[in-house]
Amino acid sequence: MNEIKLFCPASVANVSCGFDILGICLENVGDEMIIRKTNNPGVKITKIKGDNLPFENKKNVAGISAMTLVKEKNIPFGFEIEIYKGIASGSGIGSSAASSAGAVFGINKLLGSPFTKNELIKFAMEGEKLASGTLHADNVAPIILGGFTLIRCSKTLDIINLPTPKDLFITIVHPKIELKTSDSRSVLKQKVPLQKTIQQSANLASLVSGLYTNDYKLISRSLVDVIIEPSRSALIPAFDELKYAAKKKGSLGSGISGSGPSMFALSKGEKIAKNVSAEMGKVLEPLDVEYETFISKINTEGIKIIS
Ligand code: HSE
């Protein structure tokens, strides 16, 4: 195989109560990438469409992730990367992670898969570090592994694939304002009161239990973030109204997708997810802010090979 074309999906990190350790892979929103072998050793980004991103490896999340992988092996040939962005930068649905994960996934395939999917997460996290200043895996892990992923430890790549209840749907509402992850992280408090840590741990544990037992009511009660959301909500236009709209139409819960500005809502069934999307859209309609909405099933497969 000399060339591979990939669909690199969007993702929702944090999922309310799992800051930096929980993520979900989306089904129908994402980028495409083409990666091909060349005679010249190293990595070269040859095409970027759909966004104004740097071509230099050190400044591009796909380039830096790919370089980190390539340096681990003595490879007599090189790789060209073409990136077709479908996910806007700074949208909160894992734009940088899709490019980082796609680059290492594709190169690994062209090499005959010397690395496991878990090992690829380590390389893709280098792109996240470039984008946000921290090595978090809560977007790249679900993109590479699919479904819901829980990161117990990103240093040792102790990552768990959680089950996906089959009727879960995600609504994404993306107000088209760019919010850099680094900026959204800069508003976070570095100290958390013990009581809030207890509440957050209880919610996270209960959410995981709800996913294993298909207990939608428990999932709903657990989708609460008492630590991160209070600091970040001011960055999202009409945050309270969006949450109210999601609740009113019967979602299980809603919150900030990753570092924002997108909001996500989980619902039982597609019909509710669509109603939630329409109601959340109505909130943004009168405001002076462009937006888009998506409905997605949870993608349990992760990155897909198109050809
Ligand atoms: N967990 C990260 C954050 C995700 O919320 O900052 C960034 O997409």
Side-chain angles (χ1 to χ4, degrees), residues 25 28 31 50 96 109 127 147 169 187 194-195 197 213 234 250 258 278 282:
C25 189
N28 49 0
D31 299 344
S96 57
K109 281 280 177 208
F169 279 78
V187 303
L194 182 60
Q195 192 53 39
T197 312
T213 56
K282 270 191 215 159

Side-chain angles (χ1 to χ4, degrees), residues 134-236:
T134 52
L135 281 164
H136 58 90
D138 52 344
N139 286 107
V140 290
I143 297 171
I144 292 175
L145 301 176
F148 270 88
T149 54
L150 175 68
I151 294 108
R152 197 203 63 81
C153 178
S154 58
K155 283 202 184 88
T156 58
L157 299 174
D158 192 354
I159 297 170
I160 303 122
N161 240 140
L162 301 172
T164 304
K166 70 172 182 22
D167 292 333
L168 270 189
F169 279 78
I170 311 183
T171 302
I172 300 288
V173 178
H174 170 214
K176 291 188 179 176
I177 46 171
E178 186 178 344
L179 180 53
K180 287 200 170 75
T181 300
S182 48
D183 293 338
S184 189
R185 290 181 87 89
S186 71
V187 303
L188 300 178
K189 297 196 172 97
Q190 294 305 312
K191 289 195 174 148
V192 179
L194 182 60
Q195 192 53 39
K196 290 207 184 300
T197 312
I198 295 168
Q199 269 176 276
Q200 196 91 342
S201 315
N203 282 327
L204 179 60
S206 306
L207 176 60
V208 171
S209 173
L211 294 175
Y212 273 96
T213 56
N214 292 304
D215 186 337
Y216 291 92
K217 287 186 178 152
L218 182 58
I219 292 171
S220 179
R221 293 200 297 282
S222 310
L223 286 170
V224 182
D225 173 4
V226 295
I227 295 179
I228 305 298
E229 209 169 87
S231 303
R232 282 183 169 168
S233 56
L235 304 173
I236 319 289

Side-chain angles (χ1 to χ4, degrees), residues 37-111:
K37 284 187 194 170
T38 62
N39 292 330
N40 306 328
V43 172
K44 191 171 167 53
I45 299 169
T46 52
K47 203 182 263 185
I48 304 175
K49 297 274 178 209
D51 208 336
N52 191 14
L53 298 167
F55 280 78
E56 206 183 318
N57 281 338
K58 272 195 256 166
K59 294 185 182 163
N60 183 297
V61 295
I64 206 154
S65 303
M67 287 299 291
T68 317
L69 183 156
V70 164
K71 275 187 197 146
E72 290 247 333
K73 296 270 171 207
N74 195 4
I75 309 169
F77 46 88
F79 301 93
E80 280 179 6
I81 302 179
E82 297 181 7
I83 306 171
Y84 300 86
K85 293 301 292 178
I87 315 170
S89 300
S91 56
I93 50 171
S95 180
S96 57
S99 301
S100 309
V104 298
F105 183 96
I107 290 176
N108 192 46
K109 281 280 177 208
L110 294 177
L111 289 173

